[in-house]
Amino acid sequence: MKRATTDQEVSVDPEKASSGSSATSQVKSAARVLDVLDDIAANGPGTQLQLAKRLGIPKSSLHALLRTMCARGWLDTDQTGSIYRLGVHTLTVSSAYLDGDPVLSRARAVMDEIAAATEETVHLGRLEGAEIIYTAKRESKHPLRMYSAVGRRLPAYSTALGRAMLAELPEGDRGGLVPHEIKAFTSQTITDRDALLAIIDKAAQFGYAEESEESCLGVRCFGVALPFSHRSIDAISVAVPISRLSQGREDLIIETLLSVKARLSAMRDNRLVR
């Protein structure tokens, strides 16, 4: 007789098992906790029924999980107790991550320098799989600026940050992080895969990447990868509204980014082992 798998047992992902990955098993209950956090972070708060449907978890199994996460501060509820959202403990953990990350501590002065030189919004981002995550930000001094938030995820292919990091990969590896079916985030997003790979190749040639209104209408971005690791997974960018982007300002932004990149590359103590 086939024995049912309990929440405390180990479940095996057939795809990972067949691929020979070392991460062939997961603790089911722990995986569900992380799935709940990821889902609410990506899709927003929800009721127990909504979360059960979104995650494909039986409502009865989810009930105890949600109560435990609320008791530990990972989740919180509204006044009715029926809608679940991220709890304050997620902020504590994310703040500890930001405080302890070696790249962020090295990049703070660089971000301040670029922000002072350009007076525009500066982002620091990290490549995770085929996406970039904003890890730090300096606001523009101007009232008209790009909306963004630390922790936001975007596809690497549609951002200057992501393209700058993809351009650092060997040419044969870049295509693996660009999907065959490309989702358009704005009316200007380039969805032709061959054209997109050509743009990344150009970024590798010139040392910086750019995009225009592909992730945010009305905004143009320029980015360079940072040489803080053997494989560049961090990048910095400047976002500027097209309405105030003259040729002179564009040249200033690109020259500032390339100058910072060259200076950091020449400093041996800037390379972190990762």
Side-chain angles (χ1 to χ4, degrees):
M1 178 181 295
K2 185 177 180 180
R3 185 168 55 89
T5 303
T6 69
D7 278 358
Q8 299 302 318
E9 293 178 335
V10 172
S11 61
V12 178
D13 185 331
E15 279 192 17
K16 290 184 178 179
S18 64
S19 67
S21 168
S22 59
T24 56
S25 62
Q26 298 180 10
V27 176
K28 190 174 183 181
S29 57
R32 283 181 170 176
V33 167
L34 299 177
D35 287 343
V36 169
L37 294 174
D38 285 343
D39 179 80
I40 295 177
N43 302 310
T47 64
Q48 182 176 328
L49 179 59
Q50 288 170 333
L51 292 172
K53 288 181 177 179
R54 283 174 6 193
L55 293 165
I57 298 175
K59 187 178 176 182
S60 56
S61 300
L62 192 58
H63 178 70
L65 197 68
L66 295 176
R67 290 189 61 181
T68 301
M69 294 176 72
C70 285
R72 298 294 295 268
W74 287 99
L75 294 181
D76 196 3
T77 62
D78 66 347
Q79 292 181 345
T80 68
S82 60
I83 299 178
Y84 294 87
R85 59 188 178 226
L86 294 180
V88 70
H89 195 59
T90 59
L91 177 60
T92 302
V93 171
S94 60
S95 296
Y97 172 83
L98 295 175
D99 289 341
D101 187 271
V103 169
L104 293 177
S105 62
R106 294 283 186 96
R108 288 188 183 106
V110 173
M111 295 183 71
D112 291 339
E113 175 187 344
I114 295 172
T118 64
E119 298 186 342
E120 299 294 351
T121 302
V122 178
H123 291 111
L124 184 70
R126 177 159 298 165
L127 184 67
E128 184 180 74
E131 296 180 312
I132 61 102
I133 302 174
Y134 291 123
T135 52
K137 178 182 181 182
R138 297 290 184 272
E139 290 283 7
S140 168
K141 293 184 177 181
H142 302 282
L144 181 61
R145 63 188 66 166
M146 176 183 179
Y147 166 75
S148 57
V150 172
R152 185 187 184 197
R153 288 175 175 264
L154 285 173
Y157 63 76
S158 68
T159 65
L161 282 171
R163 290 175 182 177
M165 288 183 276
L166 294 179
E168 295 289 314
L169 297 173
E171 187 174 352
D173 294 343
R174 297 169 193 161
L177 296 178
V178 178
H180 288 276
E181 294 185 9
I182 296 173
K183 178 183 178 181
F185 279 81
T186 75
S187 58
Q188 301 302 310
T189 304
I190 295 173
T191 57
D192 183 287
R193 188 170 185 271
D194 290 336
L196 194 52
L197 289 172
I199 289 171
I200 296 171
D201 291 342
K202 180 181 176 182
Q205 179 184 354
F206 289 100
Y208 72 92
E210 57 186 305
E211 60 93 356
S212 184
E213 301 188 277
E214 295 186 56
S215 56
C216 182
L217 287 174
V219 175
R220 187 166 169 79
C221 298
F222 306 87
V224 295
L226 294 177
F228 285 150
S229 58
H230 295 303
R231 176 193 169 207
S232 293
I233 60 169
D234 297 280
I236 201 162
S237 71
V238 174
V240 54
I242 292 175
S243 60
R244 61 170 176 262
L245 183 62
S246 64
Q247 185 60 55
R249 285 191 60 75
E250 180 173 328
D251 291 341
L252 170 65
I253 291 169
I254 294 171
E255 289 169 7
T256 300
L257 289 170
L258 289 176
S259 175
V260 166
K261 180 181 180 181
R263 188 176 76 241
L264 293 175
S265 297
M267 297 169 62
R268 292 183 179 180
D269 62 346
N270 270 315
R271 188 167 293 279
L272 306 174
V273 177
R274 275 213 306 254

